Amino acid sequence: MAQFLIKGKVIGTDGGLGIPKASIKVKGTDQSTVTSIDGDFTLEVSSKDVILIIGFIGYKTKEVEPDFDGFNLIKIEPDCLKDFFYSPHLKLMGVSDFVNAELGGRI
């Protein structure tokens, strides 16, 4: 059975950085891989008739037909509402307790 190699990189449209540990799955199969710390991946498949499903927490899932003759740059979009994070109704509260050993006190 012939094997075909898919090479690529997954980046976010919200900054263009590589997404580490994004999942790359061949649709309809159990075959998958994850991206490196830089968002790079390679995947060997037995047919050129495949669809890749790209996913990562906080991003929209995307299906793509891979290019077997070149490098696949796959851009995925964040899956959150920006307005939610800038909502005047959202209040974040936290408590910190740091000990400064040199001064012997708390900040």
Side-chain angles (χ1 to χ4, degrees):
M1 209 157 45
Q3 296 291 312
F4 303 97
L5 190 63
I6 303 169
K7 293 181 182 181
K9 182 173 192 146
V10 177
I11 64 171
T13 60
D14 57 341
L17 298 175
I19 299 179
K21 303 297 180 190
S23 68
I24 314 290
K25 183 174 181 188
V26 178
K27 188 174 184 175
T29 73
D30 291 331
Q31 191 174 5
S32 65
T33 190
V34 294
T35 58
S36 71
I37 195 155
D38 298 320
D40 298 318
F41 72 93
T42 57
L43 183 64
E44 207 171 283
V45 295
S46 58
S47 167
K48 286 191 174 185
D49 186 28
V50 296
I51 300 290
L52 299 180
I53 302 171
I54 317 307
F56 189 72
I57 296 172
Y59 287 82
K60 294 179 182 177
T61 301
K62 185 172 188 175
E63 293 187 9
V64 296
E65 291 183 36
D67 177 5
F68 289 91
D69 297 323
F71 190 77
N72 294 271
L73 184 60
I74 302 169
K75 299 177 183 180
I76 57 176
E77 298 177 36
D79 190 17
C80 61
L81 300 175
K82 182 177 179 183
D83 293 339
F84 172 78
F85 294 103
Y86 295 101
S87 170
H89 306 292
L90 180 65
K91 293 182 182 177
L92 300 176
M93 298 179 71
V95 176
S96 268
D97 192 17
F98 298 97
V99 176
N100 186 326
E102 291 180 17
L103 300 177
R106 294 189 181 276
I107 300 174

